Amino acid sequence: MSYKDKIDLLKLPRHVAIIMDGNGRWAKDRGKLRIFGHRNGVLSVRDVVEGAVDLGVQYLTLYTFSTENWNRPKLEVMAIMELMVNTIHKEIKNFMEKNVRLNAIGDLAMLPKKCFDELNNAVETTSPNTGLVLTLALSYSSRYEIVRAAKNIAVKVQSGELSINDIDETVFENNLYTADMPDPELLIRTSGEYRISNYLLWQIAYAELYFTPKLWPDFRKEDLYEAILDYQKRERRFGMTSEQVN
Ligand code: IPE
Ligand code: IPE
Ligand code: MG
């Protein structure tokens, strides 16, 4: 029996976020170069996206490349960018078939032009789709996103469009990259690391965290289902008592 059959479809997380980690170690374990791991990681992405679509998850947000990842060896960064261009190009057909809308968050202007153009093309092409919203966090830093939101708000206050007293959590959220998305209820990190690495810091305030030792290239939809099942067993109290929420 698949974990999928045990999932309560009425209690699905609307938004699942994933820190896809462990590609390099996966390759190293096989005596290969790190890029071999990234390439195999793409197969996991495809399978997990399919799993999310089959289940009916509405938002899937994948940590694909962090701002800090720019500091990796140049050769690896270039190889990842090239892999991204090729993958996005190839996947458009699949996204159209599966009614997936592609979205991207992060400092996208940092991307090489070819990557930026391919991404924009895919975002535009898939924009009429109404199914899963697949968001790639690319050249993404949560702290940068928060500072950027603060600056946007400051500009609006300065111009008189907004008064200081109007600033509340909703205004703040509306100035994040994720303005039109619900917060993730579930955050998954692979590869056995227990950290957030500058990902969606504001948005995961009340997310359930799920860590698995599996390296990303070994992660499949069945693992996603297992994580969702684990999520469904948890009691989300939001500061209240168990009696109150039951
Ligand atoms: C995640 O795998 C992919 C990216 C960060 C781009 P890593 O490349 O971080 O793999 P490990 O953590 O070194 O094994
Ligand atoms: C986080 O993984 C970024 C992505 C998965 C894209 P890293 O491998 O860069 O994170 P650290 O360095 O282990 O914290
Ligand atoms: Mg890593």
Side-chain angles (χ1 to χ4, degrees):
M1 191 174 173
S2 160
Y3 286 115
K4 185 167 181 245
D5 305 319
K6 297 187 191 161
I7 292 174
D8 180 349
L9 295 176
L10 297 174
K11 287 192 201 149
L12 275 187
R14 269 202 299 170
H15 185 173
V16 177
I18 308 183
I19 302 174
M20 311 185 287
D21 196 18
N23 294 352
R25 278 164 279 169
W26 189 89
K28 197 173 177 199
D29 288 347
R30 287 157 182 78
K32 305 270 193 184
L33 296 175
R34 296 177 59 85
I35 188 65
F36 181 70
H38 298 313
R39 260 190 228 121
N40 279 275
V42 172
L43 305 179
S44 302
V45 171
R46 191 176 297 141
D47 199 64
V48 166
V49 167
E50 195 177 282
V53 169
D54 289 349
L55 203 58
V57 171
Q58 293 173 39
Y59 296 86
L60 179 66
T61 301
L62 304 177
Y63 205 0
T64 308
F65 195 85
S66 72
T67 306
E68 291 78 15
N69 289 149
W70 290 116
N71 298 321
R72 291 195 177 188
K74 208 171 161 197
L75 215 61
E76 180 176 352
V77 171
M78 274 165 50
I80 291 175
M81 292 300 143
E82 197 175 306
L83 180 64
M84 216 122 65
V85 173
N86 295 335
T87 305
I88 293 169
H89 188 79
K90 265 197 261 165
E91 290 302 309
I92 292 186
K93 191 167 162 272
N94 199 14
F95 292 155
M96 296 314 285
E97 273 167 23
K98 295 200 152 41
N99 196 21
V100 171
R101 178 156 70 83
L102 188 69
N103 178 34
I105 58 172
D107 189 7
L108 304 180
M110 288 281 288
L111 297 173
K113 186 170 176 339
K114 225 173 137 190
C115 192
F116 181 82
D117 289 348
E118 198 63 61
L119 185 67
N120 273 340
N121 173 51
V123 168
E124 196 143 304
T125 309
T126 61
S127 65
N129 292 349
T130 54
L132 175 74
V133 178
L134 172 64
T135 301
L136 304 182
L138 275 174
S139 189
Y140 176 85
S141 150
S142 183
R143 285 185 167 181
Y144 175 88
E145 178 187 31
I146 290 169
V147 170
R148 180 180 165 275
K151 279 190 190 163
N152 285 348
I153 293 167
V155 168
K156 286 173 195 161
V157 170
Q158 205 172 33
S159 71
E161 186 187 326
L162 199 70
S163 95
I164 288 185
N165 289 330
D166 292 335
I167 302 173
D168 59 10
E169 291 186 12
T170 307
V171 167
F172 204 86
E173 274 160 10
N174 289 340
N175 282 279
L176 295 171
Y177 292 129
T178 49
D180 43 9
M181 286 186 229
D183 287 340
E185 293 96 333
L186 173 62
L187 171 69
I188 299 170
R189 183 171 188 146
T190 60
S191 91
E193 306 293 357
Y194 298 93
R195 56 177 170 264
I196 303 298
S197 303
N198 204 4
Y199 193 42
L200 303 174
L201 299 177
W202 171 286
Q203 296 87 340
I204 60 166
Y206 260 107
E208 296 296 326
L209 309 182
Y210 181 89
F211 298 98
T212 166
K214 271 208 181 176
L215 303 175
W216 178 250
D218 288 327
F219 197 89
R220 286 293 178 271
K221 62 175 87 154
E222 196 59 20
D223 300 296
L224 172 72
Y225 297 152
E226 188 175 9
I228 291 176
L229 204 60
D230 187 273
Y231 159 85
Q232 290 190 334
K233 289 191 187 124
R234 303 189 189 181
E235 183 178 70
R236 307 186 73 206
R237 290 191 287 278
F238 300 100
M240 290 181 283
T241 66
S242 188
E243 289 69 27
Q244 281 177 300
V245 295
N246 278 298

